[in-house]
Amino acid sequence: MPVPDVMFCAQQIHVPPELPNIMKQFTKAAIRTQPRDILQWSYGYFSALSNGEPLPVKERVEMMVATQKNDSGLTPGLLKVLHKQLSKKETLSIQELQIKWKNLCLPVEQLHNLLRLDNFADGVSWMKFFALGCSALGGSLLSSMKQACEILTDDPEGGPARIPYDTFAFLYSYLAGLDEEMPQQEAESFLSALKEQVARKDYMVGVADFSVNRMD
């Protein structure tokens, strides 16, 4: 027998009362994040929402800077999103990282290039990968550490961008260790001097606490 036609009227369609607010927040998130692939990003957004996970949403719209050739790669805002999503795990699988990376519509080639900089065969140490992301954004050790401070800080925008000394020391030591031109003794001397400098500040390191001459 043929399936009878079903007539729907407004009274028959149930719209959950929370749906308008969900769609409003989704629209605002899409405007702030401006994903290259709205369908892929939407999949990641609603997957995270349904699982109670941090959403793939930037805090604000990012403007391109003069050094960026295009807006298709990693940005400070997107690295901050990844940090919120993945930092709860000290070590994660490459597959987990790939999924979050893809849902932010980031180039797969850039991810592969970053992963090649270290041996992550037994899993990805998030803070090491975070450091590599900062190096991709910064270009130099100084700029990379500034990016790290500005992304990780709890200070308000425009503030000193402070982070704990131990976190700074870990990121700095890791990136310095990958730099073949950076003597280990020089890196250790810098951190020792910095530790003494910030001891009076509850061991918090801000961007103003280090200079070009001492790091590069």
Side-chain angles (χ1 to χ4, degrees):
M1 295 179 60
V3 179
D5 293 335
V6 180
M7 298 295 292
F8 291 99
C9 62
Q11 290 76 14
Q12 291 176 300
I13 302 175
H14 173 68
V15 178
E18 63 272 17
L19 182 60
N21 184 58
I22 289 175
M23 296 311 298
K24 180 180 180 180
Q25 296 304 318
F26 166 77
T27 302
K28 289 182 177 180
I31 292 173
R32 287 203 304 273
T33 308
Q34 299 188 0
R36 293 171 57 227
D37 184 339
I38 187 66
L39 293 179
Q40 181 64 51
W41 178 82
S42 298
Y43 170 80
Y45 180 93
F46 286 109
S47 293
L49 185 64
S50 65
N51 293 325
E53 300 172 350
L55 301 175
V57 180
K58 292 180 183 179
E59 293 182 352
R60 62 187 62 83
V61 177
E62 287 185 287
M63 302 299 293
M64 288 180 61
V65 297
T67 55
Q68 286 180 276
K69 295 180 180 179
N70 54 62
D71 62 353
S72 63
L74 190 65
T75 67
L78 292 175
L79 184 55
K80 189 168 187 175
V81 170
L82 287 170
H83 183 71
K84 288 181 178 179
Q85 292 183 312
L86 299 171
S87 60
K88 289 184 178 181
K89 291 187 176 182
E90 291 185 6
T91 304
L92 58 146
S93 69
I94 291 179
Q95 183 179 15
E96 289 177 286
L97 177 56
Q98 287 174 329
I99 290 172
K100 298 303 184 185
W101 189 272
K102 181 179 180 181
N103 288 339
L104 286 174
C105 313
L106 288 166
V108 176
E109 297 80 6
Q110 188 177 27
L111 175 60
H112 291 166
N113 289 337
L114 291 174
L115 290 174
R116 290 190 191 103
L117 296 175
D118 201 341
N119 180 13
F120 294 119
D122 296 327
V124 179
S125 165
W126 170 250
M127 288 307 291
K128 288 184 177 181
F129 185 84
F130 175 82
L132 295 176
C134 290
S135 69
L137 295 172
S140 68
L141 185 54
L142 170 65
S143 298
S144 299
M145 295 311 301
K146 283 185 176 180
Q147 292 286 353
C149 288
E150 290 169 357
I151 292 172
L152 296 177
T153 188
D154 290 326
D155 291 333
E157 186 176 5
R162 297 165 302 168
I163 64 174
Y165 170 82
D166 288 346
T167 301
F168 182 96
F170 175 84
L171 297 173
Y172 177 87
S173 296
Y174 176 68
L175 292 178
L178 295 177
D179 186 349
E180 297 179 354
E181 298 181 0
M182 170 70 74
Q184 181 179 354
Q185 185 176 358
E186 182 178 335
E188 292 175 352
S189 297
F190 165 75
L191 289 176
S192 178
L194 181 63
K195 187 174 184 179
E196 292 183 9
Q197 179 181 337
V198 301
R200 300 183 298 274
K201 306 176 184 179
D202 298 325
Y203 291 97
M204 297 293 287
V205 181
V207 172
D209 291 316
F210 50 88
S211 66
V212 176
N213 292 332
R214 295 182 64 183
M215 291 188 64
D216 282 351

